[in-house]
């Protein structure tokens, strides 16, 4: 399923992702079909950026 992003949190199906650190982290979505439709028929990647020393991320199932 296509993930949704709300600030520093993302939901993808039953998976919930919350970025705890750094405070300025940004979540972006990558649709693999936009990379190569011949190779990828579906799928999403959740990217977290904005940190320089690492990330603290909480994952849990809804």
């Amino acid at each position: 399923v296509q993930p949704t992003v709300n600030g520093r949190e993302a939901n993808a199906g039953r998976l919930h992702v919350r970025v705890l650190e750094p405070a300025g982290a940004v979540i972006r979505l990558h649709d693999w079909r936009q990379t190569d439709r011949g190779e990828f028929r579906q799928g999403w990647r959740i990217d977290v950026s904005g940190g320089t020393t690492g990330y603290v991320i909480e994952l849990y199932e809804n």
Side-chain angles (χ1 to χ4, degrees):
V1 300
Q2 180 176 349
T4 59
V5 176
N6 184 10
R8 295 186 323 172
E9 298 185 21
N11 285 296
R14 293 175 28 199
L15 175 66
H16 186 81
V17 178
R18 180 182 301 153
V19 180
L20 303 175
E21 294 179 20
V26 175
I27 296 177
R28 291 187 178 87
L29 302 178
H30 178 79
D31 180 353
W32 283 110
R33 295 173 297 175
Q34 301 301 320
T35 300
D36 184 347
R37 285 190 182 270
E39 185 172 348
F40 301 105
R41 289 184 286 159
Q42 63 184 8
W44 293 86
R45 182 178 74 207
I46 299 173
D47 293 329
V48 180
S49 62
T52 58
T53 60
Y55 300 90
V56 177
I57 298 174
E58 177 182 69
L59 303 172
Y60 61 90
E61 189 175 359
N62 286 335

